[in-house]
Amino acid sequence: RARNGTRRRPRMPELPDLEAYRVALAPRLIGRRLERVRLLSPFVLRSVDPPLAAAHGRSVDSIERLGKRIVFALDGELFLVVHLMVAGRFQWRAQGAKGPGRIAAAAFEIEGDSGALWLTEASKTKRAWIRLVEGRAALAELDPGGVEPLASSDAELRGALARENRTLKRALTDPRLVAAIGNAYSDEILWRANLSPFARTGTLGDAEWAALIELL
C-alpha cells in the first residue's frame, strides 16, 4: 500500500523486469519438456490455431523476449507467447507446493520434479494473455516493431526516437519506436538524464541525446 493507506495500482512489467524473468526462467526451462499448460482463467488464452495441446510434450529450446512479451520457443517452430500486461506476473513454485490460489491464470507444468511455473493476475480486469503461434513469421506479427534497446546502436536508438517530433515521454513509451519501455522506466530514464518529459525530440541537442541514449 501507499503511505497514505490507499492501495497502489500494479505497475506494468517493463524491460528490466522482463529481462529478469527471461534470465531466471532460462536455466529452469531450457532443455526440459513442457508437459502441459493448465488454464485456470477462461480469458487468458487468445489463440485457437494451433490448439494449445500442440505445445504439450515439446521441449523448450529457448526463452526469448519480444518487446513486452515473454516467448517460450518450443521444438518444432512453435512459440508460446505470454503478455503480462499490467497485473500479470510469473511465480515459480516447487513441485507439490500449494498454488497461488484465486489469482492463478495458468500453470506451466514442466517435466521432472523441479517445479511449476504459474502465471498470475491480481486484477479484476483480466488482460494478461497467452498465444500459441507456429513459425517465426507468425511470431513476428506480434511484434509492434520498436527497436530493442539492448541490441541497437546509439544511432539506431536516436533515429527511432527522432522519427517524429513528439514529447520525449510519448516517444519513449511508443512500442512502435522503442521496445519494452513504459511509464515507470521512461520516468526513471528522463529523471536520471535531467530531461523534461515534455521536451520535444525535434528540439534536443547532441548533448541531450547523448545523455538520453546512454541510459537506454
Side-chain angles (χ1 to χ4, degrees):
R1 290 179 178 270
R3 291 182 181 179
N4 62 6
T6 61
R7 186 178 297 276
R8 288 193 181 100
R9 295 181 62 187
R11 179 181 69 81
M12 175 179 284
E14 300 176 23
L15 180 61
D17 315 285
L18 295 166
E19 278 296 297
Y21 275 138
R22 186 186 65 80
V23 171
L25 289 174
R28 290 176 168 90
L29 299 181
I30 292 177
R32 294 182 178 270
R33 189 168 59 248
L34 177 65
E35 299 284 14
R36 181 170 67 133
V37 180
R38 184 157 47 95
L39 301 178
L40 300 165
S41 166
F43 308 102
V44 70
L45 183 63
R46 304 290 176 85
S47 64
V48 295
D49 185 24
L52 187 60
H56 296 170
R58 295 182 183 264
S59 64
V60 180
D61 290 341
S62 63
I63 306 295
E64 305 173 9
R65 181 178 55 78
L66 186 68
K68 291 182 180 178
R69 300 149 181 80
I70 295 293
V71 180
F72 302 83
L74 309 176
D75 71 86
E77 284 284 293
L78 283 180
F79 300 92
L80 198 61
V81 186
V82 180
H83 197 327
L84 299 174
M85 297 300 289
V86 175
R89 299 293 185 269
F90 284 124
Q91 292 187 22
W92 182 265
R93 301 213 172 187
Q95 187 75 17
K98 184 179 179 181
R102 296 175 62 183
I103 64 172
F108 302 81
E109 299 177 356
I110 312 301
E111 70 168 329
D113 58 0
S114 59
L117 177 66
W118 294 81
L119 171 62
T120 67
E121 188 169 20
S123 171
K124 293 181 180 179
T125 304
K126 304 302 181 183
R127 298 177 61 192
W129 54 255
I130 298 171
R131 296 176 189 264
L132 182 65
V133 299
E134 184 174 9
R136 286 280 174 185
L139 179 63
E141 292 179 3
L142 299 178
D143 186 355
V147 299
E148 278 292 343
L150 302 182
S152 301
S153 68
D154 290 357
E156 289 170 330
L157 286 166
R158 177 171 175 171
L161 289 168
R163 191 179 304 161
E164 301 175 12
N165 184 21
R166 54 171 62 186
T167 64
L168 285 177
K169 178 74 172 183
R170 286 189 62 200
L172 284 170
T173 56
D174 188 337
R176 299 169 301 173
L177 302 181
V178 182
I181 296 178
N183 286 323
Y185 193 33
S186 64
D187 287 344
E188 178 71 16
I189 290 168
L190 292 170
W191 182 80
R192 292 183 62 188
N194 197 27
L195 292 170
S196 167
F198 304 108
R200 302 193 74 84
T201 56
T203 66
L204 297 189
D206 289 341
E208 292 168 312
W209 276 116
L212 178 64
I213 297 302
E214 183 181 5
L215 296 169
L216 291 175

